[in-house]
Amino acid sequence: MPTLDYHDKIAVLDLGGEENRFSPEFLDQVGAHLDTALADGAQGLVTTASGKFYSNGLDLDWLGAHAERAEWYVGRVQALLARMLTLPVPTAAALPGHAFGAGAMLAIAHDYRVMRADRGYFCFPEVDIRIPFTPGMAALIQAKLAPASAVASMTTGRRFGGTDAAALDIVDATAAEGAVTDTAVALLTPLGGKDPATLAAIKNTMYATAVAALTA
């Protein structure tokens, strides 16, 4: 279950200690915590997790049991990605473990990413599990990664450890065990105090194409 805490003025949203898949209930909880953090005047947001997964992404079990709601469900997921992409405060994903599929996309939607150096994989497995990217998901990744990094991650299904992910600028920094969240908080602390409306307008302009594709 996601929980919200604070490091001074930086909100820290822990996605949980399991696989943190995007069930409808999970999406509701994350959305509610984002609402709370913004209402409380947080000057930055870090998302992290307390187990060996940051997130394994789509809840395929739920989707298999509710196939008739697939379009609605994907729309919910993409709405979260679009919201994170344009959140009116600086954001950082602190990855203490695996980030796969839509979980990796959630990390990409943040302004910055910090990954544990010695454990965990960052992976877009879509090519290997025969699930093509939606136009919105592809637009999100391509908006945040250089072309060579997008090709290396989107077309291969490769699992990147922290060092390799940093070499391709998929993540901005690596950290030792136990230091991932603190490193992410340290990235955001100097950026506190930005005007939320201005920052939101800038992000919406920067990522207009991706946001339009995610919310179409």
Side-chain angles (χ1 to χ4, degrees):
M1 173 183 292
T3 58
L4 185 67
D5 200 355
Y6 294 87
H7 287 216
D8 293 325
K9 296 182 179 181
I10 305 298
V12 178
L13 175 56
D14 189 320
L15 300 179
E18 303 298 329
E19 291 190 16
N20 305 328
R21 289 185 179 270
F22 295 172
S23 69
E25 294 78 14
F26 178 91
L27 295 173
D28 288 342
Q29 291 165 357
V30 169
H33 285 312
L34 294 179
D35 291 342
T36 298
L38 296 178
D40 287 346
Q43 295 190 2
L45 173 79
V46 171
T47 65
T48 188
S50 49
K52 68 177 183 178
F53 294 94
Y54 174 75
S55 173
N56 250 353
L58 300 183
D59 189 337
L60 298 179
D61 289 340
W62 187 94
L63 192 56
H66 302 83
E68 75 284 356
R69 302 184 70 188
E71 185 174 351
W72 170 86
Y73 174 71
V74 172
R76 288 286 314 277
V77 172
Q78 294 195 164
L80 173 62
L81 298 177
R83 185 179 188 187
M84 188 63 69
L85 187 63
T86 58
L87 208 70
V89 295
T91 59
L95 312 180
H98 306 307
F100 276 73
M105 294 175 206
L106 179 61
I108 283 290
H110 291 65
D111 298 325
Y112 306 99
R113 284 151 298 286
V114 179
M115 188 172 177
R116 182 171 163 178
D118 63 338
R119 178 182 175 185
Y121 292 111
F122 185 104
C123 178
F124 297 125
E126 281 74 9
V127 70
D128 290 327
I129 61 176
R130 301 184 180 184
I131 300 179
F133 295 97
T134 67
M137 292 174 177
L140 164 65
I141 299 167
Q142 290 174 282
K144 298 304 295 283
L145 296 183
S149 299
V151 170
S153 58
M154 294 176 71
T155 68
T156 67
R158 178 179 168 189
R159 299 181 177 195
F160 296 92
T163 301
D164 289 339
L168 281 174
D169 293 327
I170 294 172
V171 301
D172 300 277
T174 60
E177 179 182 5
V180 179
T181 297
D182 287 343
T183 301
V185 169
L187 279 176
L188 298 188
T189 299
L191 303 176
K194 307 298 183 187
D195 176 66
T198 302
L199 185 57
I202 290 171
K203 289 185 180 183
N204 274 282
T205 300
M206 288 177 67
Y207 304 123
T209 299
V211 170
L214 286 166
T215 58

